[in-house]
Amino acid sequence: MDKLKHLLKEVKNQYIVACLFLTICIFVLGGTGKMAIFCALGIMLCVVGFMQGAVAVDLWVLLPLMIYNLFSLISAYLAHGNIAEGFTSIQAAFSVIYLLMAYLDKDGICLLRKLCIILTAFVALAGIGEFVCDAALLHSSARLGGVIGNPNGMGIFLVLGWFSYMNDISEEKASGMRWWNCIEPLLLIALALTLSMGSFAAMAVGIVVIIIADIRKFGVKKAVGRSGCLLARMSIGLGLGILLYLAVSRVGKTWLYVCLLLYFAAVIVKWEKMGRFLAEYRAIAVGLSVLSLLFAAMLIVIRPSFTATFAERLEMMKNGVRYFKMNPIFGIGPSNWRQLNLYDSDIYFNVNHIHNALIHVGTELGLVAMAMMVIVAVRCLIKDKRLYGRAGWGAFLFHNMVDAAFFNIKITSMAIMSGGDPSQGGRRLNSVTTKIIFGVFAMIFAYNFYWYVQMT
């Protein structure tokens, strides 16, 4: 009987993992304009959750997420007369994904994270292929946006994947899979092709978190060696991507792309051996880590306009804060800031979201929703005890202070699935409560599905 119960639990775990992974695959690969499909996926996840029983879940994350959803839907109704318009309707998926993940055991969470890493590697490989094909056939040297849709979003998506991958190999759970070692250089090369300064800065913040933790645990001397090895690997991978970008944008010769790709293939195949070499000869690794400074200088040369862009984002944030007083509780309504910015006396920024997720939420959804975001962010950051896990959350949170990745369902869903552990520190919700929660969210998705179908 015990064996049967264990088997049924394993089947349930595998089923929930499969549903969540297929959902993130459709989110990532299905484009950004398929709202009806996203709502149908939300209904499917709610049905899966409705069939489950009681569960232990971290209420310090789930409750603020649900309150955020509630206030965002009220804000949408007050501004537009329905709850479907704007970005808030699809964000209900965040609460559903988080609650459904709580039913997974440690092995299920680990499997879901591995699958997310594989998806990120596929996105990186497809992005590199797209970049090379555009260069060879169209003579284009545009920054890589890939399936995420824009370079900045693609950048932080790959950064999340890199931290998740580094956590996986640090826990030595990928032994015996030689192809697994090829993922890191793919992620770094693709990341370099985005030329996303915000993503690079977010990655640097995550690395600082790692360095501080290493110093506290091992002392300065050992931390320098460990950090030097990490920075050396990162600098080599990013340097390869920059080399490819410069070859495309400054030289434009097809034969050179072929030579570089062959060189990349050789580096990727020998990446594990290089990592062992750097780990053994820490002094060389520390010396190579200086390449990160050269890498930063190269970025400044390639994208000298980033300082002006940053100044514009600060002006954007100031503009958004001015709208707090219009409706502090429910905000001005989702997707309304751009329209108001068009007619105010400030610069028209021509973007949908303020490049600071907290300020944008405070502006459009109100200060209560903004406070709920702060609670979730702080809880996720301090709760994750994994070294690279906490670094990944730090990178994601920093990026949302200078960009708007939170409003991209692909990126935030990936952050939850690759970094979340809802059952850790959780409190038990009985079966009736979970069924009510999934039932309410199913009705929200059903209404939104009907609305989007009617509008198209």
Side-chain angles (χ1 to χ4, degrees):
M1 189 58 117
D2 291 338
K3 289 184 178 180
L4 179 60
K5 287 182 179 180
H6 180 73
L7 178 62
L8 291 174
K9 184 179 179 181
E10 284 298 312
V11 170
K12 185 186 78 171
N13 263 279
Q14 302 294 333
Y15 178 66
I16 294 175
V17 168
C19 290
L20 289 170
F21 180 64
L22 288 174
T23 298
I24 189 66
C25 284
I26 296 173
F27 280 173
V28 171
L29 305 176
T32 55
K34 315 265 190 318
M35 288 300 185
I37 295 176
F38 292 168
C39 291
L41 286 171
I43 296 172
M44 180 202 73
L45 292 179
C46 289
V47 170
V48 173
F50 196 83
M51 294 187 297
Q52 311 304 317
V55 69
V57 61
D58 187 356
L59 297 181
W60 280 102
V61 175
L62 181 63
L63 283 180
L65 270 179
M66 288 170 36
I67 295 171
Y68 169 84
N69 290 144
L70 174 63
F71 274 79
S72 64
L73 293 174
I74 293 174
S75 177
Y77 182 80
L78 293 176
H80 305 294
N82 62 77
I83 62 172
E85 286 192 64
F87 58 85
T88 58
S89 57
I90 195 60
Q91 285 189 333
F94 300 155
S95 297
V96 174
I97 290 171
Y98 193 81
L99 181 55
L100 196 55
M101 283 179 63
Y103 289 97
L104 299 176
D105 58 17
K106 292 296 182 183
D107 290 337
I109 290 289
C110 180
L111 176 59
L112 181 61
R113 287 172 178 165
K114 283 183 179 294
L115 292 173
C116 288
I117 292 170
I118 292 172
L119 175 61
T120 311
F122 174 78
V123 169
L125 182 60
I128 295 170
E130 175 192 353
F131 183 85
V132 173
C133 288
D134 285 347
L137 301 177
L138 305 177
H139 304 289
S140 169
S141 60
R143 295 163 59 200
L144 178 62
V147 297
I148 305 302
N150 67 82
N152 294 332
M154 181 74 165
I156 190 59
F157 185 86
L158 294 169
V159 168
L160 288 172
W162 183 75
F163 279 112
S164 184
Y165 171 82
M166 293 302 294
N167 181 77
D168 188 88
I169 63 171
S170 70
E171 294 176 350
E172 298 181 353
K173 293 181 178 178
S175 58
M177 298 187 295
R178 292 189 62 185
W179 60 269
W180 194 256
N181 299 295
C182 300
I183 291 179
E184 183 183 5
L186 287 176
L187 297 178
L188 293 173
I189 291 170
L191 173 60
L193 294 176
T194 66
L195 291 182
S196 172
M197 302 299 288
S199 299
F200 296 141
M203 192 178 196
V205 168
I207 290 173
V208 169
V209 171
I210 293 171
I211 293 173
I212 292 173
D214 278 348
I215 291 175
R216 293 176 62 182
K217 185 175 181 179
F218 302 110
V220 175
K221 184 176 180 180
K222 190 171 181 180
V224 168
R226 286 169 58 89
S227 303
C229 185
L230 177 66
L231 287 171
R233 292 163 65 110
M234 183 196 73
S235 299
I236 292 171
L238 292 175
L240 293 175
I242 291 296
L243 185 62
L244 178 59
Y245 185 87
L246 290 174
V248 170
S249 61
R250 306 298 167 91
V251 181
K253 300 294 184 181
T254 305
W255 62 266
L256 184 56
Y257 314 153
V258 175
C259 294
L260 283 175
L261 290 177
L262 291 174
Y263 175 65
F264 290 175
V267 172
I268 290 170
V269 169
K270 295 296 183 181
W271 189 262
E272 181 187 9
K273 188 174 182 180
M274 184 198 73
R276 292 199 304 267
F277 174 81
L278 293 174
E280 185 174 353
Y281 299 97
R282 295 292 177 91
I284 295 177
V286 172
L288 286 174
S289 66
V290 179
L291 289 174
S292 60
L293 300 176
L294 178 60
F295 170 71
M298 291 173 64
L299 286 177
I300 294 173
V301 171
I302 297 172
R303 284 200 65 198
S305 63
F306 83 94
T307 52
T309 302
F310 182 72
E312 185 180 78
R313 294 185 183 193
L314 292 178
E315 291 298 320
M316 197 185 304
M317 295 174 200
K318 293 178 184 176
N319 180 270
V321 170
R322 294 191 187 105
Y323 286 105
F324 280 6
K325 60 185 178 183
M326 288 187 65
N327 190 336
I329 306 301
F330 297 110
I332 60 177
S335 303
N336 276 347
W337 169 76
R338 179 173 181 169
Q339 190 69 16
L340 291 175
N341 173 235
L342 179 62
Y343 295 106
D344 64 27
S345 58
D346 286 346
I347 301 170
Y348 177 55
F349 298 102
N350 196 28
V351 292
N352 290 322
H353 302 105
I354 299 168
H355 281 46
N356 181 301
L358 277 179
I359 292 177
H360 187 87
V361 167
T363 299
E364 292 198 341
L365 307 182
L367 299 183
V368 176
M370 180 179 173
M372 295 303 104
M373 269 192 68
V374 172
I375 293 173
V376 171
V378 172
R379 177 62 174 172
C380 289
L381 185 62
I382 66 176
K383 173 185 170 181
D384 200 329
K385 303 303 181 184
R386 303 169 303 145
L387 177 59
Y388 288 95
R390 180 172 290 183
W393 281 115
F396 181 63
L397 298 179
F398 173 83
H399 191 270
N400 276 286
M401 296 300 98
V402 295
D403 214 305
F406 174 72
F407 304 103
N408 189 318
I409 190 171
K410 306 175 182 184
I411 300 170
T412 304
S413 297
M414 177 61 74
I416 294 172
M417 291 191 195
S418 64
D421 192 357
S423 61
Q424 181 186 353
R427 296 184 62 181
R428 187 177 184 275
L429 296 180
N430 60 42
S431 178
V432 174
T433 303
T434 59
K435 290 184 189 314
I436 290 173
I437 293 173
F438 283 120
V440 169
F441 278 108
M443 289 189 288
I444 293 172
F445 285 124
Y447 171 81
N448 293 335
F449 178 82
Y450 173 79
W451 189 87
Y452 283 119
V453 169
Q454 290 292 104
M455 290 299 293
T456 55

